[in-house]
Structure formats: structure tokens, C-alpha cells
Amino acid sequence: MSDKTSLRKQMKETLSMLSKPAYEDYSYKIAAKLFEEENWIQAKVVGITVSKAPEVDTYQIIRKAWELGKQVAVPKCYPVERKLSFRTLSEFSQLESVYYGLMEPIVELTSEVPSEEIDLLIVPGAAYTREGYRLGFGGGYYDRYLTNYFGKTLSLAFNEQIIPQFPVEEHDIPVSKIITNLEVIETK
């Protein structure tokens, strides 16, 4: 367990050393690659997190989805049940800041999107292997969500987040593709 914890910490430090220009440049390159992906082009409903630096910037991706007429669904965490629910987002003012400065949809202003309606789920993580296994942020929310999600998955990562290996457990579900600022890694 401590392996994963120290790995998360180390990754956070590595990413926090990215300069603002590099962060913007890499995020832009990742988004540009995403926009060329068939799964993105065909998706009518995209599930995506609202990024918090130093994660890959998703605000520009959400804006682009709106411009293209896609429906955007963003996650809300229920810490007591440790579950995740995705809710519609049609403008940034429907977000509120919850614990740790995370932005989540305001329940009264948004409606729930069932997992079977999400065509493409962009799965966040702290680090990834080239096989598509991800080291999450420790809550296990996505691990649980992915067991009942059967649409397309991919992750966005800075090249620094691709690591040779980490302890993989049997409940870990790999994503099918990772887009970095340098390459698109097909994992399956």
C-alpha cells in the first residue's frame, strides 16, 4: 500500500515542477491529439473530470465538447458510499468547490447521466503503465465505477506520468488508450 502512496506523492512533486508554459503546452498537445481520436469524434456523451492542476487541463476539452454539440457529464463523489455519479454540465457556473478544492456539479442545477449513456469516459489518474493500468488518487471511486461501465475509456497524461510499473491488483481495470503530449499509447 505504501508503495502506491509514495508513488502518488512522488508524481505530484514531479508534476508540480512543470512550469506554467510547459503545463499549457503539454495540455494543448494532449487535447489536440484527443480531438483526432475516432472515439472522441463519435462520442455524443463524454464523461470527464474537471481538472485541478497539475492534472492535464480539461477545461479546454469541455469547452470544445460543448462547441461540437456533445453532452458533457462530470463526476460527483459520494464519500459515504464511496461512489461516483456523473451529472450533466452545460456551463461552468454549474460547478461548486467541494473538499480539497475539487470542482463538482451542483446537484440542483444538473441531472444524473446513467453510465450506459456515456460513450467515452476519460479516466483520471496519478500515473499509468504502458499496459493501461492506472494509479488512481486513492479513493477507489473509478475502480468501482469501471466495473459497471462498458463504453470506451481513455486517459490523458503528461509523459512524466507514464511509468514502467507499479503493483497491479486483480480488480484494476486498464484503460484502452492513453494520450500523452508525446504519443498515443494503445493498450489493448
Side-chain angles (χ1 to χ4, degrees), residues 1-17 54-55 82 124-128 133-144 160-161 163 165-169 171-172:
M1 195 61 209
S2 59
D3 272 5
K4 288 188 170 183
T5 311
S6 64
L7 203 52
R8 277 186 197 103
K9 190 168 173 293
Q10 196 184 323
M11 192 51 70
K12 207 171 179 174
E13 282 165 16
T14 303
L15 293 179
S16 66
M17 283 153 55
E55 297 165 53
R82 291 181 87 80
Y128 302 87
Y133 287 101
R134 47 179 280 283
L135 176 66
F137 296 105
Y141 289 96
Y142 275 87
D143 292 327
R144 279 186 286 279
E160 289 78 355
Q161 289 173 275
I163 58 176
Q165 63 196 73
F166 52 76
V168 172
E169 293 161 41
H171 64 256
D172 290 346

Side-chain angles (χ1 to χ4, degrees), residues 50 74-77 94-99 102-106:
V50 180
V74 296
K76 175 163 182 55
C77 295
Q94 293 168 339
L95 295 171
E96 62 184 346
S97 176
V98 291
Y99 52 93
L102 287 173
M103 290 288 180
E104 288 196 347
I106 299 168

Side-chain angles (χ1 to χ4, degrees), residues 26-169:
Y26 296 169
S27 289
Y28 175 75
K29 285 179 172 146
I30 290 166
K33 287 187 174 72
L34 170 68
F35 301 152
E36 290 172 0
E37 282 293 320
E38 203 52 42
N39 290 343
W40 163 268
I41 294 166
Q42 290 181 353
K44 291 184 172 60
V45 183
V46 178
I48 188 169
T49 51
V50 180
S51 59
K52 175 174 169 248
E55 297 165 53
V56 174
D57 172 33
T58 61
Y59 282 84
Q60 58 183 325
I61 294 168
I62 293 170
R63 275 188 209 103
K64 182 66 153 187
W66 288 335
E67 282 168 25
L68 295 169
K70 297 181 187 298
Q71 187 185 2
V72 173
V74 296
K76 175 163 182 55
C77 295
Y78 294 91
V80 179
E81 301 95 337
R82 291 181 87 80
K83 79 178 187 66
L84 211 53
S85 137
F86 280 79
R87 305 186 69 83
T88 53
L89 187 74
S90 51
E91 50 186 64
F92 288 121
S93 59
Q94 293 168 339
L95 295 171
E96 62 184 346
S97 176
V98 291
Y99 52 93
Y100 306 127
L102 287 173
M103 290 288 180
E104 288 196 347
I106 299 168
V107 172
E108 298 73 40
L109 302 179
T110 56
S111 52
E112 188 163 355
V113 179
S115 69
E116 60 274 14
E117 286 178 19
I118 299 174
D119 302 311
L120 174 63
L121 185 62
I122 297 176
V123 184
Y128 302 87
T129 65
R130 299 187 75 85
E131 293 73 48
Y133 287 101
R134 47 179 280 283
L135 176 66
F137 296 105
Y141 289 96
Y142 275 87
D143 292 327
R144 279 186 286 279
Y145 193 84
L146 288 169
T147 55
N148 296 308
Y149 176 74
F150 304 104
K152 303 270 186 282
T153 58
L154 61 78
S155 289
L156 310 174
F158 296 121
N159 191 52
E160 289 78 355
Q161 289 173 275
I162 307 297
I163 58 176
Q165 63 196 73
F166 52 76
V168 172
E169 293 161 41

